Amino acid sequence: MSSRLVLVIGDLHIPDRALDIPSKFKKLLTPGKIGQTLCLGNLTDKPTYEYLRGLSPDLKIVRGIYDVDAHSLPLSQVVTHGSLRIGFMEGFTAVGREEADLLLAEANKLDVDVLCWGGTHRFDAYEYGDKFFVNPGSATGAMSIGWQADNEEVVPSFCLMDVQGISLTLYVYQLRKDASGVESVGVEKVTFTKSLLGGT
């Protein structure tokens, strides 16, 4: 049986704002472990596309605002894993990328249980309105224009989802630096179970 792991990654901006995906992440992201990749846009270069394609031949991509040569890519897509419908988009099409009610409206429009969005370069995950919302952040730690506070450092991050039936376990990988500048990868786990009672 192939892997159930779904890689959620975005806001790479290579080579415009970052040189590459951090090597500590590349050591974790190896072919054969990932069943599908959802790329939330701002891929911006062919070598990174080829790298992601090598991780999982089932690569789904949506267009980001900086994917200027990718007019044929859709603005959003929906995939199904287990009993969960998962929608994903870059976020520039959403009026308020950080407004929970607007993201809930987008999830309802796409008729999904889980909505992954990008564009803010900052990891976020929460439940709202019987839906689960995931922003994987920027896998490269590329700076964001207009979505971060002054002096806020972008922490490189990506997510892996393991879906089983109506449940999803989200593993968040973040590359942090300690006070002496030593990098290490931290992993957090967040879980979500689809409500069988419907919306409230």
Side-chain angles (χ1 to χ4, degrees), residues 168-190:
L168 177 151
T169 302
L170 182 74
Y171 298 93
V172 184
Y173 294 80
Q174 295 182 311
L175 185 64
R176 300 252 182 211
K177 287 184 185 177
D178 65 17
S180 59
V182 176
E183 292 182 334
S184 63
V185 177
V187 182
E188 295 178 45
K189 183 169 89 168
V190 182

Side-chain angles (χ1 to χ4, degrees), residues 11-14 17-18 121 138-144 148 154 156:
D11 292 320
L12 298 151
H13 295 283
I14 299 169
R17 299 186 203 170
H121 298 225
S138 169
T140 60
M143 68 168 195
S144 175
Q148 66 196 70
V154 178

Side-chain angles (χ1 to χ4, degrees), residues 121-132:
H121 298 225
R122 187 173 43 239
F123 166 73
D124 200 2
Y126 60 89
E127 267 186 74
Y128 184 66
D130 289 329
K131 310 277 185 194
F132 189 53

Side-chain angles (χ1 to χ4, degrees), residues 22-60:
S23 61
K24 289 185 184 295
F25 282 176
K26 282 190 166 185
K27 287 179 184 174
L28 297 170
L29 297 171
T30 56
K33 293 184 178 181
I34 297 166
Q36 184 177 61
T37 299
L38 307 181
C39 181
L40 279 55
N42 296 325
L43 185 58
T44 69
D45 80 326
K46 184 126 175 103
T48 306
Y49 168 84
E50 295 299 337
Y51 170 74
L52 293 177
R53 170 76 62 206
L55 291 178
S56 168
D58 189 3
L59 172 61
K60 307 285 188 199

Side-chain angles (χ1 to χ4, degrees), residues 103 147 179:
L103 289 170
W147 290 100

